[in-house]
Amino acid sequence: MARNPKITFIGAGSTVFMKNIVGDVLQRPALSGATIALMDINPQRLEESAVVVNKLIATLGVKAKAEIYSDQRKALAGADFVVVAFQIGGYEPCTVTDFEVPKKYGLRQTIADTLGVGGIMRALRTVPHLWKICEDMLAVCPEAIMLQYVNPMAINTWAITERYPTIKQIGLCHSVQGTAMELAHDLDLPYEEIRYRAAGINHMAFYLKFDHRQPDGSYRDLYPDLVRAYREGHAPKPGWNPRCPNKVRYEMLTRLGYFVTESSEHFAEYTPYFIKEGRPDLIEKYGIPLDEYPKRCIEQIEGWKRQAEAYRSADRIEVEQSKEYASSILNSVWTGEPSVIYGNVRNNGCITSLPFDCAAEVPCLVDASGIQPTYIGDLPPQLTALIRTNINVQELTVRALMSENREHIYHAAMMDPHTAAELDLDQIWSLVDDLIAAHGDWLPAWARKDGKSKAA
C-alpha cells in the first residue's frame, strides 16, 4: 500500500492561507490521504485552523487526517513537505513600528514588507525563526522540501541558502500568475490563452514575453496592446482594491519596455521615483496608497473574526482551486507528473546578469527529482540595473544576519533607493537606531547591543 505524505504547516494560524493550500492539496487524488500537521504558537488560531481542516476533509470525503502541535520539532518529525507562513511580531507591535518610526523622519511607505527600512527590520525579526525551522528539519526531516511563503521573500531565501545550503527550499509568491491574470483582464482576453515567461527577483521579476495564442496556433506579442491601452486610458481597469489603481507599473512599462510582476503599491517604494517629499502631485497622479499595509492588516483582522465564526458554524466548507503553486509542487514531487511553477531559489547562474548567490525568481520544472530552476541568461540591461538596486539592500541585510555585524544594517538602509532619495546619512543612521530601539526584543541580541552605531 502506497504511503501518504506528511505535510507540516508552520504558522498554521494563518488560517485563510492554510485553508487555500490544504483545499488545493486534498483535491489531488495522490495527496488526498495526507497527514496535515498544524503547528502555531497561538492556541486559539491553531484550534480554529484544525476546525477548518477537519471540515475540509469531511466536505471532500477524503481520508486525510489533521494533527495539531504546539512543539515545532514534533510537528516536523517525518514530514515530507513543510509549508511556512508566519509574520513575526504581527501587525501590532511590529508592523506599526515599521511605519510609524520612519514617518517621524518624513519617510513614508506603502507596504514595507520586502525592501526599505521596513523590509530590513522584518528580515532581522524573521530570518532567525526560519533558521530554527531549518535546524529542526535537519534533525527530524532532512529530506523534506520547505515551501516558504514568508516576506521578505528574497532576503529569507538568500539567508536560508547561505546558512543551510542542504535544505531543499523554495520561496513562493503568487505575483507572477496573479499579475498575468490582471493583465489578461485589462485586455479582455482569457487568461488560458496567455503565454508568458518571467524572471528577476521576488517582487521585481519582469515578463520577458507576454503573448496571446492566436486561432492558428501562433502567438502575438501583447506589449504594444498594453502600452496602447494605458496611453488611451483603457488600462489599468479597476481591481480588487480601489485604493490601488495600478498606474505605477504601467508607467514603468512605458519607460522600461517590460511589465513588473508585483503590484504598483509595492513597486512605488522599491524605486526613488514616486514617493517624494513635497510632491503630492505624484501621489495623486499615480494613486499611490501610502500606509496601505496597516490598512489591510486592520481589514484582514476584522475579516478573519467574521470568517472564523462562519467556519465554526458551517457544516461544510466549500473548496475552490486557488492560484497558489503549493499543490502543484507537492503533486509533481510525489507522483512524478511534471509541472512548471515560478519560484525563488539561489540564482546559481540561471540569470547570468545577476549575482550568482542572490535569490532569483525563475520558472522551475518540478517532478520526482524535485525543483529544478531553468536557465534564463542575461536580462535586458535596464532591468538588471534596476534589480541590482534592490539586491544591494538584500545582500547587506543577509551579510548583517550571517556575520552578526550591526554596521551592515545601516549600510543596507543607506543603499535602499527610496530611503536614500528622502533622507540624508545622519537621518538614516538615526532612523535605524530608533527602529532597533523600538523593536527591542523582537530583534536578535547582536542587533540590539552597543546602543548607537559606532559609525554615528
Side-chain angles (χ1 to χ4, degrees), residues 172-449:
L172 294 170
C173 182
H174 49 240
S175 60
V176 174
Q177 67 273 41
T179 292
M181 292 172 187
E182 285 180 56
L183 295 181
H185 174 67
D186 282 352
L187 294 176
D188 294 314
L189 294 171
Y191 173 67
E192 296 71 29
E193 296 177 6
I194 302 294
R195 175 183 74 172
Y196 57 82
R197 185 167 176 80
I201 58 173
N202 181 240
H203 287 189
M204 202 185 269
F206 291 84
Y207 296 103
L208 305 176
K209 287 183 178 173
F210 200 81
D211 303 331
H212 179 220
R213 188 173 70 246
Q214 303 301 291
D216 65 359
S218 64
Y219 283 87
R220 184 170 69 84
D221 178 15
L222 287 175
Y223 269 132
D225 296 36
L226 287 168
V227 172
R228 190 181 315 111
Y230 176 57
R231 288 195 164 136
E232 293 176 358
H234 304 309
K237 289 183 179 175
W240 67 274
N241 186 342
R243 294 190 298 260
C244 304
N246 204 22
K247 292 178 182 176
V248 167
R249 291 195 286 177
Y250 271 96
E251 185 63 26
M252 291 302 288
L253 164 64
T254 69
R255 311 291 177 153
L256 296 171
Y258 297 88
F259 205 92
V260 74
T261 54
E262 186 47 81
S263 65
S264 286
E265 55 269 27
H266 273 282
F267 201 75
E269 66 181 7
Y270 301 160
T271 57
Y273 315 121
F274 296 99
I275 306 172
K276 290 181 175 291
E277 185 65 32
R279 292 295 307 275
D281 57 308
L282 291 174
I283 303 297
E284 185 176 353
K285 179 180 179 181
Y286 295 110
I288 294 163
L290 298 170
D291 295 323
E292 172 61 21
Y293 189 61
K295 291 172 188 164
R296 281 188 202 173
C297 289
I298 292 165
E299 290 166 359
Q300 286 166 353
I301 291 164
E302 283 306 306
W304 168 244
K305 286 177 186 170
R306 293 191 298 272
Q307 190 68 68
E309 281 307 308
Y311 284 150
R312 193 174 287 282
S313 58
D315 294 327
R316 296 166 56 82
I317 296 180
E318 294 309 320
V319 189
E320 293 179 12
Q321 204 73 29
S322 83
K323 60 186 178 187
E324 304 292 353
Y325 287 129
S327 73
S328 294
I329 295 170
L330 271 59
N331 187 67
S332 292
V333 171
W334 201 250
T335 67
E337 178 188 336
S339 63
V340 174
I341 59 96
Y342 278 82
N344 294 272
V345 294
R346 191 173 197 265
N347 184 23
N348 284 349
C350 289
I351 301 176
T352 42
S353 55
L354 297 183
F356 198 82
D357 58 349
C358 79
E361 189 165 72
V362 293
C364 300
L365 168 68
V366 191
D367 60 18
S369 296
I371 297 160
Q372 298 145 86
T374 61
Y375 175 81
I376 297 294
D378 277 0
L379 296 177
Q382 69 275 26
L383 304 186
T384 295
L386 191 60
I387 289 168
R388 279 179 181 159
T389 67
N390 282 222
I391 287 177
N392 290 336
V393 183
Q394 296 165 3
E395 180 169 26
L396 284 160
T397 307
V398 173
R399 294 283 168 264
L401 285 154
M402 288 294 294
S403 64
E404 300 192 353
N405 179 350
R406 181 180 156 121
E407 295 299 312
H408 287 326
I409 303 172
Y410 299 84
H411 300 152
M414 178 181 159
M415 296 299 162
D416 178 64
H418 173 45
T419 305
E422 295 286 287
L423 305 184
D424 66 32
L425 287 170
D426 286 341
Q427 289 174 310
I428 292 170
W429 251 250
S430 180
L431 169 56
V432 172
D433 282 334
D434 287 355
L435 280 165
I436 290 171
H439 277 303
D441 290 346
W442 287 106
L443 299 182
W446 62 265
R448 290 181 271 122
K449 65 187 179 200

Side-chain angles (χ1 to χ4, degrees), residues 24 26 71 125 135 209 367 403 423 433 452:
D24 291 348
L26 297 184
D71 183 290
R125 300 194 299 268
E135 284 176 31
K209 287 183 178 173
D367 60 18
S403 64
L423 305 184
D433 282 334
K452 298 277 181 183

